Amino acid sequence: MSDTLPPEPPDGGDGTSTDFGGIEPIEIQEEMERSFLDYAMSVIVSRALPDARDGLKPVHRRILWGMFDLGARPDRPTMKCARVTGEVMGKYHPHGDSAIYDALVRMGQAFSLRHPLVHPKGNFGSLDDPPAAARYTECRLAPIAMRMLEGIDEDTVDFADNYSGEEREPVVLPARFPNLLVNGSQGIAVATNIPPHNLGEVIDAVTHLLDHPDATPDDLMTYVTGPDFPTGALIMGRQGIMDAYRTGKGSIRMRGVAEIEEGKRSDRIVITELPYQVSPNDVMNSIKKLVDARELEGISSLNDESAGDDTRIVVGLKRDAPGLVILNNLYKRTPLQTNFAVNTVALVDGVPRTLNLRDALVAYVDHQVEVIPRRSEFRLAKAKARAHIVEGLIRALDLIDEIIA
């Protein structure tokens, strides 16, 4: 037997082993790239991108579910937005209350969504001004939001634990209309930018797709002729729309509605509709800067006569000023004409994808193909359980005298 003793395990001086196995050297740049990409993708999937099935980001889905669960429904009185915000933050969305309230407010703004999902009460802001604090405003679900939630209590969608495991929340809403296209979606993640569309046109396209499963984006464009922005204005040309519907990406040029009114002494330009997400202040400030810098001649006055939902900006012209030339300059050099960069990115099976018009509608139809059978199976099971009870009652009626005795 050898007198040589086995080597002692390395320790930290206090007898604790520091042998952690093999140490593999890793380039810090590679590790940072991999870790950051994993983190960024996690954030995008869990917070920033809409689901192609219901067109909602997690915060919007949680707000609608929280309001439904709280009882803030169309047939009931409105409740304080602060209560809804606190409910959603405490149970489902563990992030800042300002982020939740901002998302709630946007769902109630008629100038942001084609069909608002929240019925607002109080100051929900305007294109120029922010909304009042959550403690002042009130809300409840809009009737169309109930179509998003229709059948949610009939096992139509899967539920998952919330962040604390104490509550359950829907993974996706049943969504009985194609909300992704109808209300669109805007976000900073990978520049998601989906314009709103006309509900009737989108439903007609879905119906055509059901009847013709091999329909192409061009076929569906017969029904969905273009975006339907809630603030009106004009779309210049069709090429941007066709690019967006065929590839998922395109640039749509929007132009405000303006006309030149002739007067006894001088003419004026009256603007009555603005491009989507452009405020009267944006246009006014831009015109003022051009006039102050003497880059735009011929303007004598500028007044914002907008009231409520009606836009009216009056640009007074100097005598003999060329109105058409000035108007063209306004289109060229102010937000009166702007572009909407379409980028239809949404989650399909949990993975971000760029969708053309057909892809977006197919994702919705596939979702409904899952929702409706699940609802039917739930109702069948409920009917069978009821039938079992009714059968027992019928048998009891045959023996009613004995039962009474």
Side-chain angles (χ1 to χ4, degrees):
M1 176 180 288
S2 172
D3 293 334
T4 305
L5 296 176
E8 295 184 2
D11 61 59
D14 57 359
T16 304
S17 173
T18 58
D19 185 7
F20 299 116
I23 298 177
E24 181 181 347
I26 299 176
E27 288 289 339
I28 188 168
Q29 180 178 347
E30 294 179 10
E31 177 61 27
M32 288 295 291
E33 286 179 359
R34 183 170 63 252
S35 297
F36 181 76
L37 282 173
D38 289 345
Y39 166 75
M41 183 58 68
S42 172
V43 170
I44 286 172
V45 171
S46 63
R47 293 180 66 177
L49 286 183
D51 193 300
R53 295 171 292 179
D54 61 7
L56 297 173
K57 298 177 185 179
V59 63
H60 300 114
R61 188 178 303 114
R62 288 165 175 166
I63 289 170
L64 295 180
W65 169 245
M67 292 177 70
F68 181 82
D69 196 37
L70 201 56
R73 305 181 188 183
D75 57 345
R76 301 179 187 179
T78 56
M79 63 176 61
K80 287 289 185 184
C81 290
R83 183 180 175 191
V84 173
T85 300
E87 175 84 0
V88 173
M89 182 170 59
K91 286 186 175 180
Y92 310 113
H93 199 68
H95 301 287
D97 59 331
S98 60
I100 298 171
Y101 183 54
D102 288 347
L104 169 62
V105 163
R106 191 175 187 279
M107 287 196 290
Q109 294 174 334
F111 54 84
S112 293
L113 269 64
R114 188 63 185 80
H115 294 280
L117 301 175
V118 169
H119 171 79
K121 184 178 180 181
N123 178 12
F124 266 56
S126 68
L127 283 167
D128 286 325
D129 302 308
R135 61 183 179 274
Y136 299 121
T137 55
E138 298 182 10
C139 65
R140 65 186 175 202
L141 291 172
I144 196 168
M146 298 302 291
R147 299 291 288 173
M148 291 290 293
L149 292 150
E150 186 176 302
I152 199 167
D153 53 355
E154 295 181 299
D155 192 35
T156 51
V157 294
D158 293 332
F159 277 70
D161 290 335
N162 70 337
Y163 65 92
S164 65
E166 298 173 332
E167 303 284 342
R168 301 280 287 173
E169 61 176 321
V171 175
V172 66
L173 297 188
R176 299 315 315 280
F177 68 92
N179 183 61
L180 181 69
L181 290 177
V182 170
N183 277 323
S185 182
Q186 282 78 46
I188 57 172
V190 290
T192 299
N193 215 22
I194 305 172
H197 292 80
N198 182 275
L199 177 60
E201 291 182 359
V202 176
I203 292 297
D204 288 343
V206 170
T207 304
H208 179 79
L209 183 62
L210 290 172
D211 294 335
H212 306 86
D214 56 348
T216 65
D218 286 66
D219 296 334
L220 298 171
M221 276 188 241
T222 306
Y223 303 93
V224 183
T225 55
D228 187 8
F229 296 109
T231 52
L234 304 172
I235 294 176
M236 309 303 293
R238 287 192 50 80
Q239 189 58 49
I241 296 173
M242 291 161 61
D243 291 342
Y245 290 166
R246 287 171 179 166
T247 67
K249 293 185 179 183
S251 182
I252 297 175
R253 179 170 296 176
M254 304 177 294
R255 174 181 285 186
V257 174
E259 60 181 14
I260 300 172
E261 294 184 354
E262 296 182 357
K264 292 182 179 179
R265 295 185 177 179
S266 61
D267 298 341
R268 61 182 186 174
I269 298 172
V270 180
I271 302 167
T272 53
E273 293 180 18
L274 294 176
Y276 185 51
Q277 294 181 324
V278 172
S279 72
N281 270 354
D282 293 338
V283 176
M284 297 271 291
N285 292 336
S286 183
I287 296 175
K288 285 178 183 177
K289 287 180 181 178
L290 291 172
V291 172
D292 292 342
R294 297 185 180 277
E295 295 179 17
L296 190 59
E297 303 289 344
I299 293 178
S300 61
S301 63
L302 186 62
N303 294 303
D304 184 2
E305 300 177 3
S306 303
D309 296 330
D310 296 327
T311 299
R312 183 178 171 85
I313 298 174
V314 180
V315 182
L317 305 180
K318 295 178 181 178
R319 182 175 295 187
D320 299 328
L324 191 57
V325 173
I326 293 174
L327 180 57
N328 286 333
N329 270 306
L330 293 181
Y331 287 138
K332 182 178 180 181
R333 307 180 70 176
T334 74
L336 191 57
Q337 178 170 295
T338 185
N339 290 337
F340 188 98
V342 179
N343 192 18
T344 313
V345 177
L347 295 176
V348 178
D349 297 327
V351 178
R353 297 191 185 282
T354 301
L355 310 175
N356 61 27
L357 180 59
R358 173 187 162 80
D359 295 336
L361 294 178
V362 166
Y364 170 75
V365 169
D366 288 347
H367 178 50
Q368 295 306 303
V369 168
E370 181 179 349
V371 164
I372 294 172
R374 288 181 61 160
R375 183 188 66 182
S376 300
E377 290 169 5
F378 176 88
R379 291 178 177 178
L380 177 60
K382 187 176 180 181
K384 285 181 176 178
R386 172 66 179 159
H388 183 70
I389 295 172
V390 170
E391 184 181 354
L393 292 173
I394 291 174
R395 291 189 180 184
L397 283 174
D398 295 337
L399 305 170
I400 191 66
D401 293 335
E402 296 177 27
I403 290 175
I404 292 174

